[in-house]
Amino acid sequence: VRGQGASDWALFKLNVWRGMLSFKRDQVTLVSWGAVSVLIGSLFGILYWQLAASNWRNLMGLIFSAVVGMVFAGCLGVVLKFPMEWSLVCREYYSRANAIGPYIIARFLTTLPLSYGPLLWATIIYWATGMDPDLGSYAIFVCIFISYNWTCFSLGQWVSSFSANPL
């Protein structure tokens, strides 16, 4: 695909293909993300074991801690991606072979498979801390946690775009 005549859709498909190829090559990240999510979820579960239903302060402390932990975990997962691809993005953009919009959207969509980590994390936290055993409440909690993780991924990409050097 040559950039000057390519549509945004063609550039988007190319960037998704590139992102999935990169994601497929990095299996260590996929496995370690799951292991870290289970570890952190287990630590929160042990720390707040069956305390969420006992007092609203315990529940608020748990949610605050989980939110702060997810900011760091979600942002650090992607914050080094953009600076490592900075030279490639600049070269393709200035040669008009790629556009920033399709690149950013494709980069976000290729990080979505990492959402299984927050799913594990939220599941462990929810059931270990003794929250409402209703399946609907659990689904809402997990959906909020996963969408918050997507926000953290986007924040990490935004922060990483300020630097061309990953160090």
Side-chain angles (χ1 to χ4, degrees):
V1 175
R2 292 285 175 201
Q4 294 182 2
S7 68
D8 285 341
W9 177 247
L11 294 174
F12 172 73
K13 289 191 303 186
L14 178 69
N15 285 314
V16 167
W17 174 77
R18 181 191 298 161
M20 291 307 289
L21 190 63
S22 171
F23 188 73
K24 190 186 305 183
R25 290 179 182 161
D26 194 12
Q27 293 296 315
V28 174
T29 301
L30 189 63
V31 172
S32 64
W33 179 243
V36 166
S37 297
V38 167
L39 176 69
I40 293 174
S42 299
L43 290 174
F44 278 118
I46 291 169
L47 184 63
Y48 289 97
W49 182 258
Q50 300 299 317
L51 290 177
S54 66
N55 189 344
W56 68 271
R57 288 185 180 136
N58 291 335
L59 181 61
M60 291 297 111
L62 166 67
I63 291 174
F64 176 77
S65 300
V67 163
V68 170
M70 183 52 68
V71 166
F72 288 113
C75 287
L76 293 178
V78 296
V79 78
L80 294 178
K81 293 287 186 182
F82 189 77
M84 294 178 80
E85 296 178 355
W86 176 254
S87 61
L88 175 69
V89 171
C90 284
R91 182 177 65 231
E92 289 180 352
Y93 177 74
Y94 288 119
S95 69
R96 299 178 64 144
N98 205 347
I100 297 299
Y103 170 78
I104 293 295
I105 293 169
R107 175 58 58 195
F108 173 74
L109 290 177
T110 56
T111 58
L112 290 183
L114 290 175
S115 295
Y116 84 95
L119 175 68
L120 293 172
W121 192 348
T123 300
I124 293 170
I125 287 174
Y126 192 86
W127 297 112
T129 58
M131 290 191 196
D132 187 16
D134 180 40
L135 196 57
S137 299
Y138 164 73
I140 290 170
F141 182 78
V142 168
C143 288
I144 289 171
F145 216 75
I146 289 173
S147 63
Y148 179 66
N149 184 49
W150 293 344
T151 305
C152 293
F153 277 158
S154 298
L155 178 68
Q157 286 181 339
W158 179 70
V159 168
S160 70
S161 69
F162 290 129
S163 174
N165 186 0
L167 301 175

